Amino acid sequence: MSASEKKTGGINRDMVMMVVALTLVTAISAALLGLTDVVTREPILEAQRAALQRNLEQVLPKHANVPMDDVIRLSDDDAATPFYVARDADGALLALAWEVVAPDGYSGSIRILMGVLPDGALHAVRITDHRETPGLGDGIVQNRKWIDFFIGKSLGNVSWAVKKDGGDFDQFTGATITPRAVVKAVHRGLEFFAAQRDALLARAAGK
Amino acid sequence: MADMSVSQMSKGEILADGFWHNNTIFAQLLGMCPLLGVTTSAVNGFWMGAATVLVLLGSNIVVSMIRGFVPRDVRIPAYITVIAAFVTVVGLAMNAWMHDMYLILGLFIPLIVVNCAILGRAEAFASKNGLVDSVLDALGVGLGFTFALMLLGSVREIFGYGTWFGYPVLGENYPDFLMFILPPGAFIALGFILAGVNIINRRMGSRAANAEPACTPAAHVVSEKA
């Protein structure tokens, strides 16, 4: 290339070849990506729905509807947090489930799905996504006893902190930050429900 | 990565070279990020390796096909574009059809792009050799990488949890040995594995002399970028 550069100051054959080669390579790569996106878009959505479905079944009481398709939001904005509604055969509200995020985990955000009964008591809690240390912080997923401790808890009947901070929730040996983040996030979720309970129940009933 | 001798190698030698003598992990110590990051269990190591094999196959095939057409000065951006495209394809496919494993491997799938071993094969082998040889090279190197990931994953899972591919092998009451699951355990286990590989190579004799660590010019350039 240096030789041809010396020859002329303007565009030369080598440079054109480079542009052509890179353009073709990127164009073909883009086409490949577009094709893959078309093929995988539906299966990815389905896989995500199946994962959400599995988690919803675990945090909601026995219900007669399909909570995944029975969604209410506090505002008409589609980006607002979706609340999944569980109903009995008569269409009466049994429980609500929604996702909260603990931004202060040991490594990154922890996503938590919580199912709450109309009286403000938890039905169950599940971790849907986390990057906590295997063997330590991931006890929030592996340790069934720990996550089941949330069952039946409400704002009033338990002290919302880990034992190290003077509360009722166990921490794990060598991992306090993770359970503390989860307990805090669920607590915030319940406070939110208490504040917005009437609006949420009205919306759920109005559907 | 013995560039010059490559064209004289037989098909079997290309496979054996990639799988063992110049194994990405054992001989070159490249690709450490996915190696240490995902190998908390044998099954994670296997699927990370499988994803890497697919990317390597795709990139080696395409690079070999376009090798006469891409000018030298822009070959690295062209190769990286090809590799990034295949990584995205594999990531999307895993997300679609192996959703649970995709969630576990997560960040490490897009990071295959910067696995210098893959750009290394494109630069050192596929850009200088024909299609069939490049496929063999991708298979040898890829399977060697998968083997290394599975071996380390197995060691860490067996000693850490007492299980292998999820089945208990050290009895039901094995007390978890956390250190092997945590990052320090990865380094320690890898050290013992490398020692074992060196013993095997010494017993095998002179062939081990070929397995110089990755200091060929090509591998050097690549590892600085990654």
Side-chain angles (χ1 to χ4, degrees), chain A residues 69-86:
Chain A
D69 298 325
D70 199 342
V71 175
I72 57 167
R73 291 183 164 86
L74 273 177
S75 74
D76 294 328
D77 182 4
D78 267 359
T81 311
F83 292 81
Y84 303 95
V85 187

PDB file of all heavy atoms in Angstrom, chain A residues 69-86:
ATOM      1  N   ASP A  69     -51.461 -13.500  30.937  1.00  0.00           N
ATOM      2  CA  ASP A  69     -52.230 -12.703  29.978  1.00  0.00           C
ATOM      3  C   ASP A  69     -53.223 -11.775  30.669  1.00  0.00           C
ATOM      4  O   ASP A  69     -53.981 -11.064  30.012  1.00  0.00           O
ATOM      5  CB  ASP A  69     -52.972 -13.634  29.011  1.00  0.00           C
ATOM      6  CG  ASP A  69     -52.001 -14.472  28.204  1.00  0.00           C
ATOM      7  OD1 ASP A  69     -50.914 -13.963  27.872  1.00  0.00           O
ATOM      8  OD2 ASP A  69     -52.324 -15.644  27.920  1.00  0.00           O
ATOM      9  N   ASP A  70     -53.251 -11.805  31.982  1.00  0.00           N
ATOM     10  CA  ASP A  70     -54.180 -10.969  32.751  1.00  0.00           C
ATOM     11  C   ASP A  70     -53.360  -9.896  33.468  1.00  0.00           C
ATOM     12  O   ASP A  70     -53.055  -9.999  34.647  1.00  0.00           O
ATOM     13  CB  ASP A  70     -54.932 -11.847  33.759  1.00  0.00           C
ATOM     14  CG  ASP A  70     -56.208 -11.167  34.242  1.00  0.00           C
ATOM     15  OD1 ASP A  70     -56.310  -9.923  34.079  1.00  0.00           O
ATOM     16  OD2 ASP A  70     -57.083 -11.864  34.772  1.00  0.00           O
ATOM     17  N   VAL A  71     -52.989  -8.868  32.712  1.00  0.00           N
ATOM     18  CA  VAL A  71     -52.022  -7.895  33.203  1.00  0.00           C
ATOM     19  C   VAL A  71     -52.705  -6.557  33.453  1.00  0.00           C
ATOM     20  O   VAL A  71     -53.518  -6.106  32.648  1.00  0.00           O
ATOM     21  CB  VAL A  71     -50.886  -7.702  32.177  1.00  0.00           C
ATOM     22  CG1 VAL A  71     -49.941  -6.602  32.612  1.00  0.00           C
ATOM     23  CG2 VAL A  71     -50.130  -9.002  31.984  1.00  0.00           C
ATOM     24  N   ILE A  72     -52.393  -5.928  34.594  1.00  0.00           N
ATOM     25  CA  ILE A  72     -52.839  -4.550  34.819  1.00  0.00           C
ATOM     26  C   ILE A  72     -51.614  -3.687  35.054  1.00  0.00           C
ATOM     27  O   ILE A  72     -50.556  -4.178  35.459  1.00  0.00           O
ATOM     28  CB  ILE A  72     -53.808  -4.438  36.027  1.00  0.00           C
ATOM     29  CG1 ILE A  72     -53.141  -4.997  37.284  1.00  0.00           C
ATOM     30  CG2 ILE A  72     -55.114  -5.140  35.747  1.00  0.00           C
ATOM     31  CD1 ILE A  72     -53.859  -4.656  38.554  1.00  0.00           C
ATOM     32  N   ARG A  73     -51.761  -2.399  34.767  1.00  0.00           N
ATOM     33  CA  ARG A  73     -50.676  -1.449  35.022  1.00  0.00           C
ATOM     34  C   ARG A  73     -51.261  -0.239  35.717  1.00  0.00           C
ATOM     35  O   ARG A  73     -52.428   0.086  35.539  1.00  0.00           O
ATOM     36  CB  ARG A  73     -50.018  -1.026  33.698  1.00  0.00           C
ATOM     37  CG  ARG A  73     -49.236  -2.138  33.033  1.00  0.00           C
ATOM     38  CD  ARG A  73     -48.552  -1.627  31.772  1.00  0.00           C
ATOM     39  NE  ARG A  73     -47.507  -2.538  31.334  1.00  0.00           N
ATOM     40  CZ  ARG A  73     -47.708  -3.597  30.556  1.00  0.00           C
ATOM     41  NH1 ARG A  73     -48.925  -3.870  30.125  1.00  0.00           N
ATOM     42  NH2 ARG A  73     -46.711  -4.380  30.213  1.00  0.00           N
ATOM     43  N   LEU A  74     -50.421   0.439  36.499  1.00  0.00           N
ATOM     44  CA  LEU A  74     -50.915   1.604  37.240  1.00  0.00           C
ATOM     45  C   LEU A  74     -51.127   2.800  36.328  1.00  0.00           C
ATOM     46  O   LEU A  74     -51.923   3.678  36.618  1.00  0.00           O
ATOM     47  CB  LEU A  74     -49.951   1.959  38.365  1.00  0.00           C
ATOM     48  CG  LEU A  74     -50.216   1.203  39.675  1.00  0.00           C
ATOM     49  CD1 LEU A  74     -49.181   1.543  40.703  1.00  0.00           C
ATOM     50  CD2 LEU A  74     -51.622   1.485  40.197  1.00  0.00           C
ATOM     51  N   SER A  75     -50.399   2.861  35.231  1.00  0.00           N
ATOM     52  CA  SER A  75     -50.648   3.931  34.269  1.00  0.00           C
ATOM     53  C   SER A  75     -50.933   3.288  32.918  1.00  0.00           C
ATOM     54  O   SER A  75     -50.770   2.076  32.746  1.00  0.00           O
ATOM     55  CB  SER A  75     -49.436   4.854  34.175  1.00  0.00           C
ATOM     56  OG  SER A  75     -48.409   4.207  33.470  1.00  0.00           O
ATOM     57  N   ASP A  76     -51.355   4.094  31.951  1.00  0.00           N
ATOM     58  CA  ASP A  76     -51.687   3.531  30.642  1.00  0.00           C
ATOM     59  C   ASP A  76     -50.440   3.339  29.785  1.00  0.00           C
ATOM     60  O   ASP A  76     -50.523   2.855  28.665  1.00  0.00           O
ATOM     61  CB  ASP A  76     -52.685   4.434  29.922  1.00  0.00           C
ATOM     62  CG  ASP A  76     -54.012   4.426  30.674  1.00  0.00           C
ATOM     63  OD1 ASP A  76     -54.332   3.378  31.265  1.00  0.00           O
ATOM     64  OD2 ASP A  76     -54.701   5.469  30.679  1.00  0.00           O
ATOM     65  N   ASP A  77     -49.302   3.724  30.350  1.00  0.00           N
ATOM     66  CA  ASP A  77     -48.034   3.562  29.652  1.00  0.00           C
ATOM     67  C   ASP A  77     -47.664   2.077  29.597  1.00  0.00           C
ATOM     68  O   ASP A  77     -47.641   1.406  30.622  1.00  0.00           O
ATOM     69  CB  ASP A  77     -46.956   4.349  30.418  1.00  0.00           C
ATOM     70  CG  ASP A  77     -45.614   4.275  29.723  1.00  0.00           C
ATOM     71  OD1 ASP A  77     -45.564   3.688  28.628  1.00  0.00           O
ATOM     72  OD2 ASP A  77     -44.643   4.809  30.282  1.00  0.00           O
ATOM     73  N   ASP A  78     -47.377   1.570  28.402  1.00  0.00           N
ATOM     74  CA  ASP A  78     -47.053   0.149  28.264  1.00  0.00           C
ATOM     75  C   ASP A  78     -45.736  -0.225  28.919  1.00  0.00           C
ATOM     76  O   ASP A  78     -45.466  -1.398  29.150  1.00  0.00           O
ATOM     77  CB  ASP A  78     -47.005  -0.232  26.775  1.00  0.00           C
ATOM     78  CG  ASP A  78     -48.357  -0.743  26.312  1.00  0.00           C
ATOM     79  OD1 ASP A  78     -49.277  -0.800  27.157  1.00  0.00           O
ATOM     80  OD2 ASP A  78     -48.497  -1.066  25.122  1.00  0.00           O
ATOM     81  N   ALA A  79     -44.923   0.794  29.208  1.00  0.00           N
ATOM     82  CA  ALA A  79     -43.628   0.505  29.823  1.00  0.00           C
ATOM     83  C   ALA A  79     -43.737   0.387  31.339  1.00  0.00           C
ATOM     84  O   ALA A  79     -42.783  -0.016  31.993  1.00  0.00           O
ATOM     85  CB  ALA A  79     -42.625   1.597  29.462  1.00  0.00           C
ATOM     86  N   ALA A  80     -44.901   0.733  31.897  1.00  0.00           N
ATOM     87  CA  ALA A  80     -45.065   0.662  33.348  1.00  0.00           C
ATOM     88  C   ALA A  80     -45.008  -0.798  33.803  1.00  0.00           C
ATOM     89  O   ALA A  80     -45.303  -1.706  33.037  1.00  0.00           O
ATOM     90  CB  ALA A  80     -46.391   1.286  33.747  1.00  0.00           C
ATOM     91  N   THR A  81     -44.610  -1.003  35.067  1.00  0.00           N
ATOM     92  CA  THR A  81     -44.472  -2.360  35.605  1.00  0.00           C
ATOM     93  C   THR A  81     -45.769  -3.145  35.426  1.00  0.00           C
ATOM     94  O   THR A  81     -46.834  -2.680  35.839  1.00  0.00           O
ATOM     95  CB  THR A  81     -44.162  -2.293  37.109  1.00  0.00           C
ATOM     96  OG1 THR A  81     -43.094  -1.372  37.296  1.00  0.00           O
ATOM     97  CG2 THR A  81     -43.794  -3.652  37.647  1.00  0.00           C
ATOM     98  N   PRO A  82     -45.704  -4.322  34.832  1.00  0.00           N
ATOM     99  CA  PRO A  82     -46.916  -5.139  34.719  1.00  0.00           C
ATOM    100  C   PRO A  82     -47.204  -5.884  36.029  1.00  0.00           C
ATOM    101  O   PRO A  82     -46.294  -6.395  36.678  1.00  0.00           O
ATOM    102  CB  PRO A  82     -46.574  -6.127  33.597  1.00  0.00           C
ATOM    103  CG  PRO A  82     -45.088  -6.198  33.560  1.00  0.00           C
ATOM    104  CD  PRO A  82     -44.549  -4.933  34.158  1.00  0.00           C
ATOM    105  N   PHE A  83     -48.467  -5.903  36.422  1.00  0.00           N
ATOM    106  CA  PHE A  83     -48.900  -6.695  37.570  1.00  0.00           C
ATOM    107  C   PHE A  83     -49.729  -7.850  37.032  1.00  0.00           C
ATOM    108  O   PHE A  83     -50.699  -7.629  36.293  1.00  0.00           O
ATOM    109  CB  PHE A  83     -49.744  -5.848  38.541  1.00  0.00           C
ATOM    110  CG  PHE A  83     -48.934  -4.782  39.240  1.00  0.00           C
ATOM    111  CD1 PHE A  83     -48.646  -3.589  38.600  1.00  0.00           C
ATOM    112  CD2 PHE A  83     -48.460  -4.986  40.528  1.00  0.00           C
ATOM    113  CE1 PHE A  83     -47.890  -2.608  39.234  1.00  0.00           C
ATOM    114  CE2 PHE A  83     -47.710  -4.012  41.167  1.00  0.00           C
ATOM    115  CZ  PHE A  83     -47.415  -2.821  40.521  1.00  0.00           C
ATOM    116  N   TYR A  84     -49.345  -9.080  37.380  1.00  0.00           N
ATOM    117  CA  TYR A  84     -50.046 -10.253  36.879  1.00  0.00           C
ATOM    118  C   TYR A  84     -51.102 -10.654  37.896  1.00  0.00           C
ATOM    119  O   TYR A  84     -50.831 -10.755  39.090  1.00  0.00           O
ATOM    120  CB  TYR A  84     -49.065 -11.398  36.626  1.00  0.00           C
ATOM    121  CG  TYR A  84     -47.970 -10.996  35.673  1.00  0.00           C
ATOM    122  CD1 TYR A  84     -46.740 -10.533  36.134  1.00  0.00           C
ATOM    123  CD2 TYR A  84     -48.181 -11.043  34.297  1.00  0.00           C
ATOM    124  CE1 TYR A  84     -45.749 -10.138  35.249  1.00  0.00           C
ATOM    125  CE2 TYR A  84     -47.193 -10.654  33.404  1.00  0.00           C
ATOM    126  CZ  TYR A  84     -45.971 -10.196  33.894  1.00  0.00           C
ATOM    127  OH  TYR A  84     -44.994  -9.794  33.020  1.00  0.00           O
ATOM    128  N   VAL A  85     -52.318 -10.869  37.417  1.00  0.00           N
ATOM    129  CA  VAL A  85     -53.450 -11.098  38.302  1.00  0.00           C
ATOM    130  C   VAL A  85     -53.842 -12.568  38.309  1.00  0.00           C
ATOM    131  O   VAL A  85     -53.999 -13.173  37.241  1.00  0.00           O
ATOM    132  CB  VAL A  85     -54.661 -10.263  37.840  1.00  0.00           C
ATOM    133  CG1 VAL A  85     -55.792 -10.372  38.856  1.00  0.00           C
ATOM    134  CG2 VAL A  85     -54.262  -8.811  37.643  1.00  0.00           C
ATOM    135  N   ALA A  86     -53.968 -13.144  39.503  1.00  0.00           N
ATOM    136  CA  ALA A  86     -54.498 -14.504  39.651  1.00  0.00           C
ATOM    137  C   ALA A  86     -55.951 -14.391  40.100  1.00  0.00           C
ATOM    138  O   ALA A  86     -56.259 -13.636  41.016  1.00  0.00           O
ATOM    139  CB  ALA A  86     -53.682 -15.284  40.667  1.00  0.00           C
TER     140      ALA A  86
END
